[in-house]
Amino acid sequence: MKPALLEVMRMNRICRMVLATCLGSFILVIFYFQSMLHPVMRRNPFGVDICCRKGSRSPLQELYNPIQLELSNTAVLHQMRRDQVTDTCRANSAMSRKRRVLTPNDLKHLVVDEDHELIYCYVPKVACTNWKRLMMVLSGRGKYSDPMEIPANEAHVSANLKTLNQYSIPEINHRLKSYMKFLFVREPFERLVSAYRNKFTQKYNTSFHKRYGTKIIKRQRKNATQEALRKGDDVKFEEFVAYLIDPHTQREEPFNEHWQTVYSLCHPCHIRYDLVGKYETLEEDSNYVLQLAGVSSYLKFPTYAKSTRTTDEMTTEFFQNISSEHQTQLYEVYKLDFLMFNYSVPSYLKLE
C-alpha cells in the first residue's frame, strides 16, 4: 500500500477516535481535520474564489499532508505533543471535562487570522505579547510589517485582534474545522512565579494591587496594617499561594487569566490543537508555525534577551518558603497542565 494512502487512513482513524471521544459533550460540532484531498474554498471580499490563502495549500495541509512524505523530526515531535494531550484528557476525563459544554464566551482567548487560516490561543506569561504582535502583522493586511514596532500595550487592545467568540456558531465550527489551531505553554510554576513577579512586585501595577492585592492581604495576612489593606502593593508569594489554594477563592470567581490554568483558558480537551509550542523551545516552535503559514521568508519570531525573565532557579527560590502542604495543594490545582504538556514534577517540591 502506498505511504500516502497509509497516512490518510491513519489520519481518518484518528479523526474517528477524536470524534467518538467528544460527541455528546460539546455544543459546537467540531471536525478536527479538514479533508486531505479537498482544500476548503472560501470567497474573498472581491468576489473571486480563492483557495485557502496566498498560495494553494493551507497550514493544515502543510502540517498533516506535507509534500515531503517522510516526516521531519519537528513533525514527529509535535505529533508526540498532540498525543500527550489526547492521552491525558482521556486518562483524566472526569477532571478535564468538568465543563461538558463550551459556549462562545469560552473562546475569547482564541485569536483568529482569516488571511492565513490560523487560530492562536494566547496564554498570558508565555510570550503572548509577541505572538499577539505577530497576529496583528499577519491579519493586518499591510497595516504592520515589523512586529516589534507595535507597542506592547497596543498588542493587548482587544479591538486590534479578532477572537473566535465574535463569530456565529456555524462560523466558529467552520474555523475550528479548517484553520490550524495552536497554543504555547510553559512550565506551570515558572509561569506562576512570572505572573506574581509581574503583577505584585512592580509598583506600576496598581490596578492589580487594588483588585487582587488588597483582597489577598485581607484574607491571608494577620494583623495587616491599614496602609497594606488600602494599597495591596506588598503581597508576599506565600500569601499569593495561600489565596490560590483557598477553596473560597475558586468558588468566588474564575482565576485571573495570568494565573489561570492553560486547560481552562484554551480547553484542549474539547478543542484539538494542531500544534503545542513550548516556552522552552519558543523560537523554533514559533518559526515552525510561521513556516506552515507560508510567511517564514519575510516574518520571524522576535528574539531578544530579556534580563528580567523568570528562570527555573528563580522559581526554586520562591518555593523555598512554601510549606509541603501548600505545595501539594498548589500542584493539584495545576496538575493537569503538568501532565498534559509533559512537565515533570519539579525537584524542589516536597509533596505530601
Side-chain angles (χ1 to χ4, degrees), residues 99 102-109 164-165 172 265 267:
R99 290 287 307 281
L102 292 185
T103 65
N105 191 52
D106 294 309
L107 308 176
K108 60 187 177 184
H109 271 248
L164 197 57
N165 62 311
I172 289 171
L265 290 176
H267 312 286

Side-chain angles (χ1 to χ4, degrees), residues 59-72:
L60 271 187
Q61 288 177 305
E62 293 291 347
L63 179 63
Y64 291 117
N65 190 25
I67 295 174
Q68 301 268 343
L69 288 178
E70 186 175 344
L71 291 176
S72 67

Side-chain angles (χ1 to χ4, degrees), residues 71-134:
L71 291 176
S72 67
N73 290 337
T74 303
V76 171
L77 171 66
H78 284 282
Q79 180 62 58
M80 290 172 63
R81 290 178 181 175
R82 285 193 294 274
D83 291 345
Q84 177 73 22
V85 173
T86 300
D87 292 346
T88 303
C89 291
R90 188 178 296 118
N92 299 272
S93 59
M95 185 178 178
S96 64
R97 290 177 180 273
K98 286 180 181 177
R99 290 287 307 281
R100 294 189 62 80
V101 172
L102 292 185
T103 65
N105 191 52
D106 294 309
L107 308 176
K108 60 187 177 184
H109 271 248
L110 279 71
V111 177
V112 180
D113 169 22
E114 298 276 0
D115 294 339
H116 302 89
E117 300 189 346
L118 299 173
I119 296 176
Y120 160 58
C121 184
Y122 72 89
V123 178
K125 309 313 298 177
V126 193
C128 77
T129 301
N130 279 348
W131 256 109
K132 284 182 176 181
R133 285 167 165 154
L134 280 173

Side-chain angles (χ1 to χ4, degrees), residues 173-211:
N173 282 321
H174 167 70
R175 282 154 184 78
L176 286 172
K177 171 187 174 181
S178 307
Y179 289 15
M180 188 176 79
K181 303 166 291 296
F182 67 99
L183 76 163
F184 279 80
V185 300
R186 185 177 185 177
E187 201 279 340
F189 285 169
E190 186 178 297
R191 174 176 168 246
L192 187 65
V193 170
S194 178
Y196 166 77
R197 292 179 64 222
N198 178 247
K199 301 306 176 187
F200 294 110
T201 69
Q202 303 296 325
K203 293 300 180 185
Y204 60 79
N205 264 323
T206 54
S207 61
F208 269 82
H209 302 159
K210 291 285 188 183
R211 174 73 177 82

